[in-house]
Amino acid sequence: MTKNIKLYKRGIHDESLLKNLMEGGSLYPLISLVREKKNDLVLQIRDNYLNLYYQGGNVAEIHSAESVVLDKNYFRTHAQKEDEDWAKVNENYQEAISLYQSGCYEEYIKVVTDAMNNYDTITGKGTEEKKTQHRICIDNMSNSDYTILDLEYQVSSESDFCYRGNRKTKKGTKVPSPRFDIVAIRNRDHRLCVIELKKGTKALKDPSGIQEHAESYRFTIGYDSATEQAFVDEMNMLLKQKRDLLGLLDKSVFIDTTLPPEFLYAYQYNPNERSYHSFEAQKNYFAQYQNSKVGENYAKGKRVIWLDDNVYKLKDAMTITIHRGIDQIGGCITEIESSNGTKILIDLGHNLPEGDSPADDKYDDPKELETLLNGVSHIFYSHYHGDHIGFESKVPTTVEQHIGALSLKMMTTLKEYMKFADDLKEEACESLKALSRFKIYEPKVKVDYGGIKVTPYPISHSAIDAYMFVIECDGKRILHTGDFRDHGYRAKELLHDVENEVGDIDVLITEGTLLNRDDKRMMSEKELQDEAYQWFKSNNCKYKYAFVLCSSMDADRLVSFLMASQHCSKNRRFIADSYQIEQIKNLKQLPDPYNQLFAYPYGRDKESEWKRMKQYGFTMLVRNTDSFRKRIHETMTALHLNPEDVLFIYSMFNGYVDPMRTKIFKKDLYDFTHLYNWKLIHLHTSGHASKEALQAICEHINPKKAIIPIHKEELGLMGKLDMDIHCPLVESTQVIDDINIIIK
């Protein structure tokens, strides 16, 4: 007996039986018939014996060269037992056993398979599911996405992953040890997979349906990492015997023992169902179950392999997974996985804070982030806002991260200045290390990453250098809009490029930030600039002194106030701190003026600069920090300004200062305004698409398969738009043609 091997494990543990199966052994010719794929035979190793299958039926249960178990019923000739000539049945049965014991394996198999074919014909006893399993096993040994390792795997009550649940039968006894239809190796990542085979919608309703199997897996193999590893180790031993000792599997097949097994479903179309006669109807019934309260626990997020009727090759389909964003703004993560296993992410954003509390994000947990990134090869960031990029320093170096050239420069500048803050220095340094490894994508340049092709298209947003992406995968084309708008500088031009260059689209994934807001009309960035100019010029330059609070990363907004200030007077000062000046200088490819851009007064020229600011007026960028409050106070005091001559412009989303919006962090502007009782105005326009812009792009693109609205506050908002489109709005897990859409 082989040492340290428990007998309840799958595998041949009897050394004499192993020798008989290997070359030169008495059973070797029988194994050769299986290797030669004669008669569509399938051999499976059990617990110290073998089963030889034909059409899902057991041709032989092999314990040794002398001992074989065969079902005598195969030799019956009539449907009813009382009509049988059992003497003849016994004679035929004994003849078959004799052929086996004599080593006449080819003749033995012919006699038994002929009897089995006849038995199925006259009795109708052939089990359809077993025949399907058998066919799947034959068709998935090479040139397939999966290699079948075992069929009808039953968990032993003595194993390291025995059943740990508490289900009882109706009689109050414990349920039998769980059995799983198929154990396979996914060839692209060599992950062990436990597959449950189901056919038609009945599979969701039967007592032995999806719920029971999912629970069985959860309380056995999938109970914890230790049980998963025990199962992987057992299956790896089985693989080595089938591959290395018996030659039943290709030498290239192996299990990545570092990966936990995956539980999934193979769902076969049932053409005989009247209520759900089409395959699409049955797929969508399954999707409805996945989204139900019951299905959420047992099927949501599970990979599904779809098998048409009489098709048995297990093939992965393209999958779109919305990890976050279907009912929240920020924290966006979209995953695209091809059928060959290439996996990319569009954005890996951090959740926005709620109220004054720090942002709560499950991916701050390294284990959660590791699970999310498992198998991901590339991440594409649509822009540099923190709710779209926030984990860059935590991403493994094996994953390539991509962003636009100017976005990378803006982020690098930000992190360099963050290093000056003691509490942010460590985070900034780690981020800079990651940013140094970033890859830059080129506008409108298509690149192929393992079968997934990505083409970035520049678009307007409150972050400059923002992009939409066209993703081509498995013959399908996806347009992911990221965040965009149609009222920024060059917005119309950029949208026109997208609408006229992307071509036919199957799936549109679009933002919906403003769907829950009642803005009558979106002010354009140019209109904002003009209004700022009017405030600066109104009442004989009464407000020639202005403080402006806006995002230092919003390039369009910086340009708007810079241009408005310049138009007032060629001598008017535009004041910013060194960080803001660096960010503005990063925009040098834009036709923007710099002759009036000045740093806050320092050093020997301080007094003379105060005089010029007093004489010519100024527009000063500020932030809501203690240092800027001191700077404002110093300016007001040094220039002896009358508060009635000063304008304060708040140019950010008003939700940031609205105490009623508890889900958005608040800014306390009153420190700025109440002290001096100056004029306060809110002058802002959104960086996001209006309802009209969303409707326009949906109708213009008019995708063939689906629209998935993300980056929005709740479900159902997009459906309120009166759109002329010819595809469904998808906000829950479902299958459309051969695209799996999973909504987490």
Side-chain angles (χ1 to χ4, degrees):
M1 189 73 64
T2 304
K3 293 182 180 179
N4 300 323
I5 297 294
K6 298 178 182 178
L7 290 179
Y8 58 75
K9 289 186 175 180
R10 274 283 201 260
I12 303 302
H13 316 298
D14 186 307
E15 292 182 358
S16 62
L17 179 55
L18 277 174
K19 289 179 181 178
N20 282 334
L21 292 168
M22 296 168 64
E23 188 171 0
S26 55
L27 289 170
Y28 183 77
L30 178 59
I31 303 302
S32 297
L33 292 176
V34 180
R35 280 200 301 268
E36 293 165 9
K37 297 181 173 57
K38 290 191 175 182
N39 299 95
D40 280 345
L41 296 174
V42 169
L43 188 142
Q44 299 296 348
I45 297 176
R46 296 300 179 226
D47 304 342
N48 223 28
Y49 67 94
L50 298 92
N51 273 343
L52 188 60
Y53 294 104
Y54 169 75
Q55 293 299 315
N58 199 340
V59 175
E61 183 181 300
I62 303 165
H63 293 265
S64 68
E66 297 77 28
S67 174
V68 64
V69 178
L70 177 62
D71 189 346
K72 189 181 295 186
N73 281 315
Y74 289 142
F75 298 94
R76 287 165 47 198
T77 55
H78 301 287
Q80 300 299 323
K81 284 187 177 182
E82 54 266 27
D83 297 331
E84 295 290 358
D85 181 354
W86 282 100
K88 183 63 175 174
V89 169
N90 284 325
E91 180 183 335
N92 294 335
Y93 170 76
Q94 290 300 331
E95 177 189 356
I97 296 296
S98 178
L99 287 170
Y100 175 88
Q101 292 174 338
S102 301
C104 302
Y105 299 122
E106 197 158 0
E107 293 87 340
Y108 167 81
I109 289 169
K110 185 178 186 314
V111 168
V112 178
T113 55
D114 284 348
M116 290 172 68
N117 288 332
N118 184 56
Y119 174 75
D120 280 355
T121 301
I122 62 174
T123 65
K125 290 289 186 181
T127 304
E128 185 178 1
E129 183 177 4
K130 287 187 175 181
K131 287 186 176 182
T132 299
Q133 288 176 352
H134 186 88
R135 194 71 250 169
I136 286 174
C137 192
I138 290 172
D139 288 359
N140 292 275
M141 301 306 285
S142 60
N143 299 320
S144 174
D145 290 350
Y146 293 81
T147 296
I148 306 303
L149 182 58
D150 199 12
L151 297 177
E152 291 293 334
Y153 178 82
Q154 186 163 12
V155 176
S156 169
S157 60
E158 300 178 57
S159 74
D160 295 332
F161 41 89
C162 61
Y163 184 73
R164 288 171 165 80
N166 57 7
R167 290 203 320 271
K168 305 280 186 181
T169 64
K170 290 182 180 180
K171 296 180 179 179
T173 58
K174 279 191 174 182
V175 295
S177 294
R179 184 189 299 268
F180 300 105
D181 291 335
I182 299 169
V183 180
I185 302 166
R186 189 160 56 228
N187 294 327
R188 58 176 168 79
D189 60 359
H190 311 287
R191 185 188 291 271
L192 203 59
C193 297
V194 178
I195 304 174
E196 274 305 310
L197 177 65
K198 294 298 173 187
K199 185 168 185 174
T201 62
K202 188 180 178 183
L204 309 182
K205 308 167 188 174
D206 281 351
S208 60
I210 283 177
Q211 179 174 342
E212 180 181 321
H213 291 301
E215 281 194 330
S216 294
Y217 184 82
R218 174 185 166 196
F219 287 111
T220 54
I221 298 165
Y223 190 75
D224 56 27
S225 59
T227 59
E228 289 176 332
Q229 192 59 53
F231 178 70
V232 169
D233 292 342
E234 179 175 323
M235 290 297 102
N236 198 40
M237 182 187 67
L238 176 67
L239 167 66
K240 290 176 180 178
Q241 289 195 340
K242 294 187 78 171
R243 181 192 63 197
D244 302 336
L245 298 179
L246 304 182
L248 297 174
L249 296 174
D250 191 270
K251 292 289 185 183
S252 63
V253 177
F254 70 93
I255 298 170
D256 186 338
T257 57
T258 65
L259 297 177
E262 180 179 345
F263 180 69
L264 55 97
Y265 300 104
Y267 188 95
Q268 190 175 38
Y269 170 54
N270 183 359
N272 299 319
E273 286 201 18
R274 295 179 181 178
S275 300
Y276 303 93
H277 55 85
S278 72
F279 198 7
E280 287 304 309
Q282 292 185 25
K283 286 179 182 178
N284 284 322
Y285 186 94
F286 189 98
Q288 290 171 20
Y289 175 81
Q290 286 180 295
N291 292 311
S292 68
K293 289 184 178 180
V294 174
E296 183 175 7
N297 296 324
Y298 306 111
K300 188 173 184 179
K302 294 278 193 303
R303 186 186 303 273
V304 181
I305 301 170
W306 303 102
L307 297 170
D308 210 336
D309 191 35
N310 297 321
V311 174
Y312 303 98
K313 192 173 285 276
L314 301 177
K315 185 172 177 58
D316 281 330
M318 185 187 81
T319 302
I320 299 171
T321 303
I322 308 299
H323 287 280
R324 278 201 308 223
I326 203 69
D327 58 359
Q328 70 174 63
I329 293 175
C332 291
I333 307 170
T334 299
E335 176 187 301
I336 312 291
E337 182 179 8
S338 70
S339 61
N340 69 7
T342 300
K343 190 186 294 185
I344 69 170
L345 295 185
I346 304 298
D347 291 335
L348 178 54
H350 205 283
N351 277 342
L352 291 170
E354 294 192 10
D356 292 324
S357 303
D360 181 22
D361 199 309
K362 74 173 185 176
Y363 294 119
D364 288 328
D365 182 342
K367 291 183 179 178
E368 292 284 355
L369 186 61
E370 181 183 2
T371 300
L372 173 71
L373 294 176
N374 182 38
V376 172
S377 58
H378 298 268
I379 303 173
F380 295 86
Y381 298 106
S382 59
H383 60 284
Y384 52 69
H385 282 160
D387 59 331
H388 292 258
I389 177 171
F391 296 94
E392 68 279 356
S393 63
K394 305 296 190 297
V395 173
T397 57
T398 53
V399 180
E400 286 192 1
Q401 302 185 76
H402 305 255
I403 202 167
L406 183 53
S407 289
L408 182 58
K409 186 177 289 188
M410 299 282 283
M411 283 197 67
T412 301
T413 299
L414 171 64
K415 301 300 180 180
E416 288 288 357
Y417 275 84
M418 283 174 59
K419 289 190 329 184
F420 294 111
D422 291 340
D423 57 334
L424 298 176
K425 184 175 181 179
E426 183 178 355
E427 174 193 340
C429 289
E430 289 300 314
S431 182
L432 283 167
K433 287 180 186 178
L435 292 173
S436 70
R437 297 189 294 268
F438 267 43
K439 307 292 184 181
I440 293 173
Y441 50 68
E442 299 292 334
K444 301 185 182 182
V445 175
K446 182 188 298 186
V447 185
D448 190 332
Y449 299 95
I452 297 181
K453 299 174 183 177
V454 180
T455 309
Y457 285 87
I459 199 65
S460 175
H461 181 44
S462 51
I464 197 168
D465 203 35
Y467 290 85
M468 294 183 174
F469 299 104
V470 173
I471 303 117
E472 298 172 68
C473 176
D474 289 340
K476 303 296 188 298
R477 305 183 81 247
I478 303 161
L479 174 60
H480 190 296
T481 69
D483 292 351
F484 75 101
R485 61 179 177 174
D486 67 342
H487 51 277
Y489 298 123
R490 293 190 64 216
K492 301 290 185 185
E493 174 189 341
L494 295 173
L495 266 175
H496 180 270
D497 289 347
V498 170
E499 291 172 345
N500 289 276
E501 293 183 25
V502 300
D504 291 340
I505 294 295
D506 293 287
V507 177
L508 173 64
I509 304 172
T510 182
E511 72 136 296
T513 312
L514 302 183
L515 284 170
N516 208 25
R517 300 179 197 168
D518 297 322
D519 306 77
K520 293 180 179 179
R521 193 187 76 82
M522 202 63 63
M523 175 188 288
S524 73
E525 199 67 44
K526 181 60 170 64
E527 288 172 327
L528 184 145
Q529 178 193 141
D530 293 342
E531 185 169 335
Y533 169 71
Q534 292 302 320
W535 278 105
F536 296 158
K537 289 290 289 183
S538 66
N539 299 326
N540 274 334
C541 296
K542 183 176 182 181
Y543 295 115
K544 73 177 188 179
Y545 310 119
F547 297 102
V548 176
L549 177 62
C550 68
S551 169
S552 302
M553 298 285 277
D554 187 341
D556 277 4
R557 193 60 42 82
L558 294 175
V559 168
S560 292
F561 288 116
L562 185 58
M563 297 290 282
S565 186
Q566 174 186 292
H567 290 164
C568 291
S569 164
K570 64 179 181 180
N571 293 316
R572 184 183 176 102
R573 273 19 194 180
F574 192 85
I575 311 294
D577 73 351
S578 58
Y579 165 66
Q580 293 162 332
I581 289 174
E582 283 301 311
Q583 291 293 31
I584 293 172
K585 287 181 177 179
N586 282 334
L587 313 178
K588 60 185 178 181
Q589 78 276 27
L590 298 176
D592 301 329
Y594 297 105
N595 58 316
Q596 292 172 283
L597 181 59
F598 296 92
Y600 187 79
Y602 291 105
R604 287 179 297 178
D605 294 333
K606 190 173 185 178
E607 294 301 324
S608 59
E609 183 59 25
W610 287 134
K611 291 179 181 178
R612 284 188 285 267
M613 290 171 64
K614 175 78 171 182
Q615 180 180 358
Y616 300 122
F618 65 82
T619 303
M620 183 187 294
L621 299 180
V622 298
R623 291 198 294 278
N624 187 14
T625 64
D626 289 339
S627 62
F628 267 92
R629 293 188 188 99
K630 292 177 182 177
R631 190 169 296 179
I632 290 172
H633 180 70
E634 183 181 26
T635 302
M636 293 291 294
T637 303
L639 274 62
H640 304 289
L641 297 180
N642 182 348
E644 293 184 358
D645 296 332
V646 178
L647 176 69
F648 188 95
I649 299 177
Y650 177 68
S651 188
M652 298 178 75
F653 172 46
N654 61 8
Y656 294 158
V657 293
D658 183 355
M660 299 301 293
R661 299 187 66 86
T662 57
K663 288 189 177 181
I664 306 294
F665 55 85
K666 296 174 288 185
K667 301 283 188 185
D668 185 5
L669 286 182
Y670 299 105
D671 285 350
F672 284 163
T673 59
H674 284 190
L675 180 62
Y676 298 106
N677 194 31
W678 49 29
K679 178 68 175 178
L680 168 66
I681 66 169
H682 181 231
L683 182 56
H684 177 66
T685 190
S686 178
H688 296 276
S690 64
K691 294 177 184 178
E692 292 76 13
L694 286 172
Q695 180 166 335
I697 197 167
C698 288
E699 291 181 341
H700 189 95
I701 298 297
N702 213 345
K704 300 175 185 176
K705 311 291 185 186
I707 295 174
I708 308 174
I710 62 171
H711 205 279
K712 64 187 192 316
E713 291 178 323
E714 58 187 86
L715 299 176
L717 295 175
M718 185 75 85
K720 296 178 181 179
L721 299 181
D722 184 19
M723 295 190 294
D724 182 17
I725 56 175
H726 309 295
C727 65
L729 294 172
V730 176
E731 295 183 293
S732 59
T733 296
Q734 58 186 273
V735 180
I736 297 181
D737 288 345
D738 52 352
I739 303 173
N740 287 324
I741 300 174
I742 297 175
I743 308 295
K744 290 292 185 73

